[in-house]
Amino acid sequence: MSKLQEHRDNHHEFREGETLELISGKDPIALFRAWYEEISEEEEPEPNAFVLGTTDANNQSNSRIVYLKDYLDDAFVFYTNYHSDKGMQIENNNRVSMLFFWRNSLRQVHIHGRCSKIPEAMSDAYFSSRPRSSKIGAWASDQSSVLDTRADLDDRIEHFEGKYPDEVPRPPHWGGYKIVPHRFEFWQGRPSRLHDRLVFERTDENTWKSHRKHP
Ligand SMILES: Cc1cc2nc3c(=O)[nH]c(=O)nc-3n(C[C@H](O)[C@H](O)[C@H](O)COP(=O)(O)O)c2cc1C
């Protein structure tokens, strides 16, 4: 039997989850945090990895995993190369999506938001906390551009190691983005595929309206 067939035939039964009815009155950012804090305790591997969805100039959707590094009062923060494909796509269209999947708790959170660069001082602070090798990597990797050979990357690392023998400054093209959410969908796995889906949409700065969706 192929692996795919094995997986297809595995009719996983979802366990009883907390019903979202009880929490529909909540602010979705608070709910996200509550879920996040619970999940970290359960030692979900890489709970801060999420799928970032962007759209390019041809309306082609694009996805890749990035790490959530911070949540501000009203925004989620990740770090990357501003010249990367995702950086260009965000320049083109700042409406992005975020998708978290937390396997052990059978939860999925799908977020829509608007993405913009964080203040430089905040990127500086985070960059300075990173290990030296990551800092050199941020200079050496021209993320998403064509790399002819792996040796070329090694040469670039050597070059920047020599250029910055002590302190490594933050490259101007490397830093954080924040995503200010305007829509959340919380998905909780429940038995017999009768999952809970609860959507929150922002109506103004501090107000959200919510509705349920068929699973
Ligand atoms: C678990 C995991 C975490 C990642 N975290 C980041 C991240 O925080 N920032 C980042 O730029 N790339 C991260 N990547 C790499 C991205 O998925 C992607 O390959 C890279 O950012 C280039 O994407 P782009 O060409 O669409 O811009 C991560 C990949 C994985 C698998």
Side-chain angles (χ1 to χ4, degrees), residues 3 13 25 33 42 53 58 64 67 73 80 86 93 97 100 103 111 119 124 128 142 145 167 172 182 196 200:
K3 266 274 184 267
E13 192 49 68
R33 286 177 186 230
E42 288 177 26
N58 298 319
R64 80 288 286 157
Y67 284 129
D73 284 345
T80 194
K86 77 179 88 47
N93 179 354
S97 66
F100 291 87
R103 180 71 188 76
I111 301 168
D124 286 339
S128 71
D142 188 12
S145 72
E167 278 302 293
H182 54 259
D196 277 323
F200 291 82

Side-chain angles (χ1 to χ4, degrees), residues 46 49-50 54 62-69 78-81 83-89 126 130 143-145 174:
E46 313 245 50
F50 69 91
T54 53
N62 287 266
S63 312
R64 80 288 286 157
I65 306 263
V66 294
Y67 284 129
L68 178 68
K69 288 293 179 178
F78 69 95
Y79 290 89
T80 194
N81 184 313
H83 294 167
S84 64
D85 284 351
K86 77 179 88 47
M88 297 293 114
Q89 288 160 18
Y126 175 68
R130 304 182 87 212
Q143 194 177 55
S144 314
S145 72
W174 192 98

Side-chain angles (χ1 to χ4, degrees), residues 6-84:
E6 229 178 86
H7 294 156
R8 199 189 61 201
D9 292 344
N10 177 10
H11 298 288
H12 176 76
E13 192 49 68
F14 288 86
R15 65 180 159 73
E16 192 72 33
E18 177 188 9
T19 169
L20 280 175
E21 208 112 46
L22 301 171
I23 45 185
S24 58
K26 272 199 185 173
D27 156 14
I29 297 173
L31 178 54
F32 179 91
R33 286 177 186 230
W35 274 23
Y36 194 84
E37 296 306 319
E38 276 174 39
I39 285 158
S40 305
E41 281 163 27
E42 288 177 26
E43 289 186 303
E44 189 88 39
E46 313 245 50
N48 64 331
F50 69 91
V51 178
L52 172 72
T54 53
T55 311
D56 70 18
N58 298 319
N59 278 338
Q60 170 65 55
S61 76
N62 287 266
S63 312
R64 80 288 286 157
I65 306 263
V66 294
Y67 284 129
L68 178 68
K69 288 293 179 178
D70 209 354
Y71 38 61
L72 309 175
D73 284 345
D74 64 339
F76 300 102
V77 177
F78 69 95
Y79 290 89
T80 194
N81 184 313
Y82 291 141
H83 294 167
S84 64

